[in-house]
Amino acid sequence: MEGKRSCLSSSIPSDLLRRIRKLTLSILTNLSNGQSPVVQIDRFRNYCTGTSGNCYCNCGISVGKELLTLQRECHTRRLDVLLRVLLVVQTLLQQNRHGSKRDIYYMHPTVFKEQSVVDRAINDICILLQCSRHNLNVVSVGNGMVMGWLKFSEAGRKFDCINNPNTAYPVPVHVEDVEIDIIGVARYILVVEKESVFQRLANDSFCTRNRCIVVTGRGYPDVPTRRFLRLLIEKLHLPAYCLVDCDPYGIDILTTYRFGSMQMAYDAKFLCVPEIRWLGVFPSEVEKYCLPQHCLLPLTREDKTRVEAMLLRCYLRREAPQWRFELDLLLARGLKCEIEALSVQSLSFLSEEYLPSKIRGGVYI
C-alpha cells in the first residue's frame, strides 16, 4: 500500500474518476449477475498494544481487510452510505468544486443520521481509491490559527504575518494550494494546544520578542492544521515544539501531532509530524515550579483509563520512552493541571520565562 500511495499528492481528478467508475462497475456487475457485491477495505493502524515489537504500525501497510456484503444488514447500510458519499465526491471532482464533510452530511441528514457516519464513509473511500481526503475535494472547516514570522500565499492570496506577528490568521484549508515564502527569519515553530494560551502569547507579543511562528489547532487538530504544520516544517526546516496541558487529553493531542490518529491511520505518513518535540507542561515539573495544591486537580477514573491505554501504545515504547516516563508519573501522582496554572507565578511567566528558558536550555523531549 505504501508504494501505491507514494504519489498521493499528484492524484488528479481524472484518475480518481476512473477508479470510481471501476469500483461502481464492479458492484453493478455483481448485482446484475444476481450476486452480492463484496467490497474489500484495507485496515490500517498507527499503533498497537502488543509487546513483541514485530508490528507494522504507521508503515502504510494494511493489517487486514474488512469485507462489506449485502448479507449483513449493518453492511448494507454502510454500503448505502458509502455509495451516496461517493456520488457526491464524483460530482465535486467532475465540477472541480470543494465541499466540506458537513455539506455532505446535510445532503442526506435523515439517511446519515450523524456526522460520524459520513466521516467513516470518507475514510473508507480514501482507502478504496488509495488517496488522501483533500484529493477528493472534501475539506474540513478549519479550526487552526497561526501567527508570527511567516509569509505564505494560498491560491494567489498573500498573507504577510510578519507585518503583524502577534495577529492571528486562520490556517489555510486548501493546503495543497499554499506556497511558503522561504525567507529564513523565524527561529522555531511552537504548537500550543488551545486558543486561550495562543491568545495569551499574542497579548504578550511573544512572536515579536522571540521571532517564531505559533500554531494552534484549538484542541485536537484538524487535518488542515496538521497538513499546514507539516508543510511549514518541510519547507522552513525549523525545530518544532509542542505545549499542552499536563493531563491525559493534552498528551493525547501531542501524540496526534507526532504520530497521527487511529481514525486516519491510512494517511498517517502524510499527516504526522515526527520532528515535533514535547516542550511541556511535564508532570515532573509540578514540583519544580512550585505549583500550589489549588492549581492541581485529581485524575478522574476516565483520565486514569486513558493514561493506562496510552501507556500500551507501541510507538511510545519504540520512539518516545521519555513520554512514557512522564505518563507513568502522571498516573502515579494522580494529579493534573492546565498550562495556565503557570500563571500563579505571574501573568507573563509563561511567555517571558517558562517558554524562552526551556527552548534556550533544550529542556524538551
Side-chain angles (χ1 to χ4, degrees), residues 17-39 68 70 79 82-84 86-87 90:
L17 288 169
R18 178 183 56 78
R19 298 182 202 179
I20 291 172
R21 285 194 293 269
K22 182 179 179 181
L23 173 62
T24 53
L25 180 60
S26 172
I27 294 173
L28 288 172
T29 300
N30 283 328
L31 289 172
S32 63
N33 292 333
Q35 300 173 338
S36 173
V38 178
V39 176
L68 302 185
L70 297 181
L79 285 170
L82 189 150
L83 290 173
R84 287 174 187 266
L86 192 62
L87 179 60
Q90 178 178 260

Side-chain angles (χ1 to χ4, degrees), residues 39-50:
V39 176
Q40 298 186 32
I41 302 177
D42 286 307
R43 283 296 162 225
F44 300 85
R45 64 189 182 201
N46 69 324
Y47 68 82
C48 65
T49 56

Side-chain angles (χ1 to χ4, degrees), residues 29 36 89 91 106 150 156 173 175 189 218 227 231 263 328 351 353-354 362 364:
T29 300
S36 173
V89 167
T91 302
Y106 278 113
L150 173 68
V173 173
V175 180
I189 300 168
R218 298 203 276 186
R227 291 183 62 217
L231 180 66
Q263 184 185 21
D328 271 324
S351 62
E353 296 186 50
Y354 180 83
Y364 47 81

Side-chain angles (χ1 to χ4, degrees), residues 33 111 167-168 189 214 238 273 355:
N33 292 333
V111 176
T167 298
I189 300 168
V214 180
L238 295 173
V273 184
L355 291 174

Side-chain angles (χ1 to χ4, degrees), residues 240-242 254 258 274-284 319-327 358 362-365:
Y241 310 107
C242 191
L254 169 73
R258 181 164 173 181
E275 299 87 351
I276 205 164
R277 294 296 175 261
W278 186 10
L279 191 62
V281 176
F282 303 147
S284 58
E319 300 180 48
Q322 289 175 288
W323 292 16
R324 291 192 80 249
F325 170 80
E326 293 291 343
L327 275 169
K358 294 199 72 175
V363 187
Y364 47 81
I365 54 179

